[in-house]
């Protein structure tokens, strides 16, 4: 399970976990999931497709609404959490473990620029 | 939502309760109301299997009174008010001359000289003004929306829960009838109506605004043993959609006639009295509709949301999604569409443009859910 305290966060509520120097796992925060409510559908990118930092890479839909998710990194999609296709509710159950969205291979070492630490993110959402 | 943003919104009598319990509130058409208490799915399922309690106090309440009340009202609504019995409720539309829908609402008949009309919150002021514009000397029109609240108790356990709180003979009420003056949990003067917006058995309770918090608490406390849940507007929307019921602003609008919006059953173009919109609606009915409202089921993955474009299998635009979600009860993605009549037949395959993708769907019968077909009711 991903320890959320070691994750980095974007302002759009995505989290990033460093797996290797040039390989990260991406998801959305428990705060984002709570705002969305019961999640019923997740649309993810194709493996091997390119994602761009701050560009949309998928959609998370709750009963009530549809929300785009934005990639916190640029790179190539190495893996997607295909379990979410049949069990989107895994995101509600645990956004930091079974609810991860994709893994991205970055062209060079992963850059933490513009991302927040867990503590910074906590402060950020408190002030929203 | 920050307190400063909430300040500008209209509040129901339960606002202090929401504040005290720190329930998250949303701007719902200018009203501060909860979308959910625990979760839309949970609340939805509670209503289908047990009971749910909704605060719908934002709905409007307009009284129409006077010796000429029946005929006057009959000239403004699409259904036939002269056919109503005392203590009966009737679903209606109010239209413009061109047949466009100003609102859909329920009319409650106290007597030949006294009716209660309950418009949607967002149309309440508009309907009151419309009524006043067409006022006659022999009727008195009174907007009591601020003085009344409305709680909806819905679900198979509703009657059992109500029984524990009242002596009123509500069991004999059939659908769309009411008791004008019931006492529940010691609170008198409640209009107890066997109506609702969920497709389940249930009751709507109109009462004085100041009594709403006490009734809310009494129903939740007494209903706890029967699995009652407080429900927000999110579940109200998914429940009405499964039940195939139109929602103003989605299936109905000033640009859509009630015939096109799927509530033609409430339009009596053959009634004797003239009513505003009658000519337009009668001629539309005679000529046949070009655009209709239909239910669909998505066959491919995704969720079809309001506003998405619908095309035929050749790619030609044929309509728009008016409501859509994943049905919590049926576990499939359903929705309602405004589309060309030629594609309205049950079984017709249509294509919905979901962002960059195209998803197949097919026209199916409404309602999507009927309580008679409920499975696992006793669970």
């Amino acid at each position: 399970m991903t320890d959320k305290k070691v994750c980095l966060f974007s302002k759009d509520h995505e989290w990033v976990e460093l797996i290797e120097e040039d390989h990260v796992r991406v998801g959305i925060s428990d705060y984002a999931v709570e705002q969305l409510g019961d999640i019923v559908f997740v649309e993810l990118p194709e493996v091997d497709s390119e994602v761009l930092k701050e560009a949309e890479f998928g959609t998370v839909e709750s009963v009530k609404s549809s929300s785009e998710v934005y990639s916190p990194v640029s790179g190539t999609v190495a893996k997607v959490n295909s379990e979410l296709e049949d069990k989107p509710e895994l995101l509600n159950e645990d956004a930091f473990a079974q609810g991860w969205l994709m893994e991205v291979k970055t062209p060079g070492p992963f850059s933490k620029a513009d991302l927040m630490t867990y503590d910074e993110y906590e402060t950020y959402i408190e002030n929203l | 939502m920050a307190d400063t943003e909430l300040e500008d919104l209209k509040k129901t009598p339960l606002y202090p309760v929401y504040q005290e319990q720190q329930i998250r509130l949303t701007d719902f058409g200018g009203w501060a109301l909860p979308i959910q208490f625990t979760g839309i799915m949970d609340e939805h399922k509670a209503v289908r299997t047990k009971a749910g309690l909704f605060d719908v106090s934002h709905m409007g309440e307009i009284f129409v009174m006077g010796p000429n009340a029946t005929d006057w009202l009959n000239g403004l609504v699409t259904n036939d008010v002269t056919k109503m019995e005392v203590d009966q409720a009737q679903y209606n539309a109010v239209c413009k001359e061109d047949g466009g829908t100003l609102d859909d609402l329920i009319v409650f008949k106290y007597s030949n000289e006294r009716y209660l009309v309950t418009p949607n919150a967002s149309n309440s002021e508009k309907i009151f003004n419309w009524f006043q514009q067409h006022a006659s000397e022999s009727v008195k029109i009174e907007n009591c929306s601020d003085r009344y609240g409305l709680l909806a108790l819905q679900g198979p356990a509703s009657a059992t829960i109500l029984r524990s709180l009242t002596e009123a003979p509500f069991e004999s009420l059939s659908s769309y009838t009411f008791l004008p003056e019931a006492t529940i949990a010691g609170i008198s003067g409640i209009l107890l109506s066997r109506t609702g917006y969920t497709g389940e058995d249930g009751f709507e309770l109109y009462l004085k605004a100041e009594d709403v918090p006490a009734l809310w608490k009494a129903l939740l406390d007494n209903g706890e043993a029967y699995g009652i849940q407080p429900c927000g507007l999110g579940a109200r929307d998914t429940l009405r959609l499964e039940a195939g019921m139109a929602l103003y602003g989605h299936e109905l609008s000033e640009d859509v006639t009630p015939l096109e919006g799927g509530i033609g059953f409430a339009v009596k173009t053959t009634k004797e009295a003239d009513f505003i919109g009658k000519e337009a609606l009668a001629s539309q009915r005679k000529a046949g509709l070009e655009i209709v409202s239909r239910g669909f089921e998505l066959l491919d993955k995704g969720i079809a949301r309001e506003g998405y474009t619908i095309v035929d299998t050749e790619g030609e635009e044929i309509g728009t999604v008016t409501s859509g979600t994943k049905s919590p009860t049926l576990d499939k993605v359903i929705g309602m569409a405004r589309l060309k009549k030629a594609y309205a037949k049950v079984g017709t395959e249509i294509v919905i443009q979901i962002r960059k993708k195209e998803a197949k769907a097919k026209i199916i019968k409404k309602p999507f859910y009927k309580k008679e077909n409920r499975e696992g009711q006793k669970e």
Side-chain angles (χ1 to χ4, degrees):
Chain A
M1 140 148 201
T2 300
D3 177 2
K4 62 181 174 186
K5 294 197 169 153
V6 305
C7 288
L8 296 163
F9 294 84
S10 74
K11 284 186 175 167
D12 299 316
H13 309 288
E14 283 80 27
W15 55 258
V16 184
E17 181 199 17
L18 199 62
I19 294 175
E20 280 167 46
E21 190 184 64
D22 63 347
H23 188 159
V24 295
R25 183 174 268 200
V26 174
I28 58 171
S29 73
D30 46 3
Y31 173 83
V33 168
E34 206 194 298
Q35 296 292 316
L36 286 166
D38 295 310
I39 289 162
V40 291
F41 182 69
V42 181
E43 189 177 273
L44 295 172
E46 306 271 331
V47 170
D48 290 334
S49 66
E50 298 292 317
V51 289
L52 277 174
K53 185 167 173 148
E54 285 170 14
E56 181 191 326
F57 73 92
T59 313
V60 176
E61 304 212 30
S62 68
V63 183
K64 195 73 201 146
S65 65
S66 154
S67 302
E68 277 76 49
V69 282
Y70 300 92
S71 182
V73 296
S74 292
T76 310
V77 178
K79 225 166 148 183
V80 294
N81 186 359
S82 48
E83 233 189 309
L84 293 176
E85 204 169 290
D86 294 320
K87 289 183 183 169
E89 65 273 14
L90 291 175
L91 261 169
N92 289 104
E93 286 160 21
D94 195 340
F96 290 96
Q98 290 172 292
W100 64 279
L101 299 178
M102 65 170 178
E103 288 183 12
V104 177
K105 201 96 176 151
T106 54
F110 164 64
S111 153
K112 296 178 183 179
D114 309 331
L115 297 174
M116 292 174 268
T117 64
Y118 177 73
D119 288 339
E120 286 166 347
Y121 179 66
E122 286 276 280
T123 315
Y124 170 71
I125 54 177
E126 263 171 42
N127 292 313
L128 282 182
Chain B
M1 217 171 179
D3 285 354
T4 48
E5 292 170 72
L6 285 171
E7 267 172 29
D8 297 333
L9 298 176
K10 283 180 270 187
K11 291 153 185 96
T12 71
L14 283 179
Y15 184 75
V17 177
Y18 300 146
Q19 289 291 81
E20 192 192 309
Q21 297 178 2
Q22 299 189 320
I23 307 290
R24 200 199 323 158
L25 302 175
T26 312
D27 178 353
F28 185 84
W31 289 81
L33 281 164
I35 292 288
Q36 60 177 42
F37 288 83
T38 51
I40 294 176
M41 290 281 201
D42 271 1
E43 293 164 24
H44 183 110
K45 282 174 184 161
V47 173
R48 288 278 178 254
T49 57
K50 292 160 187 150
L53 187 62
F54 299 81
D55 174 19
V56 272
S57 299
H58 57 313
M59 299 278 288
E61 289 86 14
I62 298 170
F63 283 92
V64 174
M65 295 158 291
N68 195 27
T70 305
D71 289 337
W72 181 82
L73 195 55
N74 208 29
L76 286 165
V77 298
T78 57
N79 214 328
D80 194 346
V81 177
T82 63
K83 296 269 159 65
M84 290 178 78
E85 306 281 339
V86 168
D87 297 343
Q88 197 191 337
Q90 187 187 62
Y91 184 61
N92 266 287
V94 177
C95 292
K96 301 181 293 179
E97 284 293 351
D98 68 2
T101 313
L102 287 165
D103 198 15
D104 63 321
L105 42 75
I106 297 179
V107 172
F108 295 85
K109 178 173 182 170
Y110 286 88
S111 73
N112 283 330
E113 302 190 357
R114 189 169 140 90
Y115 293 86
L116 169 65
V117 176
T118 59
N120 284 295
S122 54
N123 293 331
S124 178
E125 204 57 40
K126 177 175 82 178
I127 291 298
F128 178 63
N129 292 338
W130 182 257
F131 280 9
Q132 281 200 314
Q133 278 170 38
H134 298 89
S136 110
E137 276 177 15
S138 57
V139 288
K140 193 179 162 203
I141 307 153
E142 202 178 337
N143 190 353
C144 297
S145 302
D146 294 341
R147 284 187 278 142
Y148 278 80
L150 171 58
L151 298 181
L153 173 65
Q154 300 280 301
S158 298
T160 313
I161 294 166
L162 209 49
R163 177 45 62 229
S164 67
L165 284 164
T166 182
E167 301 284 312
F170 67 84
E171 269 111 349
S172 58
L173 291 176
S174 53
S175 179
Y176 272 75
T177 61
F178 68 97
L179 302 173
E181 296 272 341
T183 299
I184 306 168
I187 302 160
S188 61
I190 300 176
L191 189 165
L192 192 173
S193 164
R194 201 158 210 158
T195 44
Y197 196 46
T198 60
E200 295 297 333
D201 183 24
F203 303 90
E204 291 182 306
L205 310 165
Y206 291 86
L207 70 165
K208 290 194 276 307
E210 62 266 29
D211 291 333
V212 172
L215 184 62
W216 174 261
K217 186 173 187 305
L219 287 166
L220 288 181
D221 288 351
N222 276 264
E224 204 182 342
Y226 306 99
I228 198 171
Q229 284 212 26
C231 298
L233 295 170
R236 187 168 160 84
D237 191 35
T238 53
L239 288 157
R240 71 92 196 169
L241 181 51
E242 282 185 349
M245 292 163 155
L247 174 58
Y248 196 88
H250 298 254
E251 284 69 40
L252 297 166
S253 74
E254 289 191 25
D255 300 323
V256 175
T257 71
L259 303 175
E260 296 166 335
I263 58 164
F265 60 89
V267 180
K268 300 287 153 56
T269 42
T270 54
K271 83 179 179 189
E272 214 174 295
D274 270 335
F275 63 91
I276 299 176
K278 183 180 184 181
E279 216 180 291
L281 293 169
S283 79
Q284 187 177 54
R285 194 169 245 166
K286 197 172 162 225
L289 296 172
E290 286 169 28
I291 304 281
V292 292
S293 178
R294 285 291 183 271
F296 65 81
E297 173 189 350
L298 206 65
L299 304 172
D300 287 332
K301 284 195 182 293
I303 314 271
R305 301 278 179 194
E306 184 188 357
Y308 288 3
T309 299
I310 303 173
V311 297
D312 65 11
T313 44
E314 310 290 306
E316 176 136 358
E317 191 171 332
I318 56 166
T320 315
V321 176
T322 52
S323 296
T325 193
K326 172 146 180 201
S327 157
T329 310
L330 308 168
D331 199 30
K332 57 186 181 190
V333 175
I334 56 167
M336 290 200 259
R338 244 172 85 69
L339 80 177
K340 290 186 182 164
K341 181 74 186 288
Y343 300 89
K345 229 178 111 193
V346 168
T348 306
E349 205 163 280
I350 55 173
V351 178
I352 298 173
Q353 290 175 339
I354 301 181
R355 292 179 291 276
K356 284 163 245 159
K357 290 186 183 164
E358 298 200 320
K360 274 202 264 318
K362 72 169 182 199
I363 304 295
I364 62 170
K365 256 180 131 166
K366 287 187 293 187
F368 305 101
Y369 167 86
K370 271 190 193 160
K371 67 175 187 285
E372 294 76 19
N373 304 341
R374 185 193 298 128
E375 286 172 345
Q377 183 179 347
K378 303 251 152 46
E379 73 181 13

